[in-house]
Amino acid sequence: MNAIELTNDFHNTSAKVMVRWGQPLSPSQTTRVRNKLCGIRTCQCGGTLSERGDQGAGVYVSADSTGQPIILADTPQTTYAW
């Protein structure tokens, strides 16, 4: 598992989440991250997880074939323990 921090530079918010690269986030992780980054339902400030701006170190948010959010990295990431 890898710990990453997603940000929303419009609302100046961030959310930490434990991920497995290329694996879908659980529904509870998805809800928690979206609410923490932007809890306004009608706001269109961000992407798939309400992230906005540079996520750093080659981290990308995408969706799998079922629409579940996944976190991708173009380079190996360091694993952090919180």
Side-chain angles (χ1 to χ4, degrees), residues 33-81:
V33 170
R34 283 181 179 152
N35 287 339
K36 197 152 190 182
L37 293 177
C38 177
I40 305 167
R41 279 189 105 107
T42 58
C43 186
Q44 297 185 14
C45 65
T48 305
L49 289 171
S50 298
E51 80 287 351
R52 178 182 157 134
D54 181 27
Q55 301 306 312
V59 173
Y60 303 96
V61 178
S62 188
D64 68 7
S65 61
T66 66
Q68 282 294 107
I70 58 174
I71 308 294
L72 303 171
D74 64 358
T75 58
Q77 301 294 310
T78 304
T79 300
Y80 297 98

Side-chain angles (χ1 to χ4, degrees), residues 5-26:
E5 184 173 22
L6 298 172
T7 59
N8 180 311
D9 63 5
F10 183 77
H11 294 295
N12 198 28
T13 55
S14 65
K16 293 180 182 178
V17 64
M18 296 294 290
V19 300
R20 293 186 195 272
W21 299 119
Q23 297 295 313
L25 272 62
S26 70

